[in-house]
Amino acid sequence: MWRRSAKAFALRRVLVVFAVILAFGLAFVLTPPGGPRSLRQFDADRLASLETRMWQAYYAKERGRLFLLLATLLHEQYHYPWATAAVEAFHLARAASTFAGLTDHYEIVLPDLEAAYGKVRSWTGAAFDPGMVARAELAWWEARRIPGRNSPEQVGQLVAEEYALLYESSSPAMAVPALLRAQAGALRDAHADNPDWSRIADLLRQSYRELRLALASANV
């Protein structure tokens, strides 16, 4: 009888410990971090660092690493709970990985892009159209692959159009950060075998800093 009671007590202790660990785990993945749910407030240098590593993972076809970096970016930028960041990172990573293997019919990645931007809109309380933003993003992804349409100026214009939709601004206001981003992409493409990641990171850092300034000016 004593042995049975001891075993039952030990089992209850194990169950209690498991329940506590489970509760803390759920709280960790389901609780959003502190901070504003905003498109317009971000750490420019941190985003540039994460994006540079995302580009490296994308071109190295390291899908797991790309997913983890995307989840981290979404968690930090939009203050998603980890669970939400994982779901939306899956959509974005799948869109990017699928696009990488396509030569036509690029529109098949749109559902994932629309799903991700739909969550951004609902989470931040923005008013942009997720479908329009998704199509605008895909437009400059495609343009980078098309000779005669892939100059930094041409791609930058398309990026500016996406930014204007996403941030509910105007293309001219987004021109400088968009061009810097396009220049970073062009530099990567021009030296695909041995990209100058330091210079690319610097261009992305400048791009995000200019974007932050443009958004701040628009709020004045």
Side-chain angles (χ1 to χ4, degrees):
M1 180 67 71
W2 181 84
R3 289 181 178 177
R4 289 181 181 177
S5 298
K7 288 182 179 179
F9 178 72
L11 178 60
R12 285 196 296 271
R13 288 187 63 182
V14 170
L15 290 174
V16 168
V17 170
F18 177 77
V20 171
I21 292 173
L22 179 62
F24 274 103
L26 288 173
F28 176 75
V29 299
L30 297 176
T31 302
R37 299 183 182 186
S38 173
L39 285 166
R40 294 170 171 266
Q41 298 181 44
F42 51 81
D43 182 332
D45 292 2
R46 174 61 173 165
L47 285 185
S49 174
L50 286 169
E51 183 154 345
T52 301
R53 285 182 278 164
M54 284 163 47
W55 286 20
Q56 291 171 324
Y58 171 81
Y59 288 109
K61 295 181 170 54
E62 297 173 348
R63 296 185 178 184
R65 183 176 174 226
L66 176 61
F67 167 79
L68 291 174
L69 288 165
L70 274 165
T72 300
L73 184 148
L74 294 170
H75 176 71
E76 293 184 7
Q77 179 177 357
Y78 299 131
H79 297 96
Y80 284 165
W82 279 113
T84 303
V87 171
E88 303 314 317
F90 170 77
H91 284 300
L92 292 171
R94 185 167 66 175
S97 298
T98 300
F99 179 84
L102 296 174
T103 56
D104 55 18
H105 299 295
Y106 299 118
E107 67 278 359
I108 68 172
V109 308
L110 284 174
D112 277 319
L113 291 176
E114 290 181 25
Y117 281 115
K119 185 61 180 181
V120 173
R121 183 183 65 175
S122 64
W123 183 259
T124 63
F128 64 81
D129 183 322
M132 291 180 66
V133 172
R135 287 189 289 275
E137 180 157 331
L138 182 58
W140 66 262
W141 287 13
E142 289 185 55
R144 285 184 59 192
R145 292 186 171 186
I146 303 173
R149 289 181 52 194
N150 62 352
S151 71
E153 292 74 20
Q154 290 168 308
V155 174
Q157 177 59 39
L158 293 173
V159 175
E161 290 171 7
E162 182 200 354
Y163 281 177
L165 293 169
L166 180 63
Y167 296 107
E168 301 171 61
S169 183
S170 67
S171 295
M174 300 290 104
V176 173
L179 178 59
L180 287 164
R181 186 188 186 95
Q183 288 172 341
L187 180 60
R188 207 297 318 180
D189 295 343
H191 304 280
D193 293 335
N194 186 28
D196 184 347
W197 288 114
S198 177
R199 177 57 181 154
I200 291 167
D202 184 56
L203 285 167
L204 288 174
R205 188 161 45 248
Q206 293 178 52
S207 175
Y208 276 115
R209 288 177 179 178
E210 289 292 338
L211 177 60
R212 189 174 57 191
L213 288 173
L215 294 174
S217 297
N219 283 335
V220 174

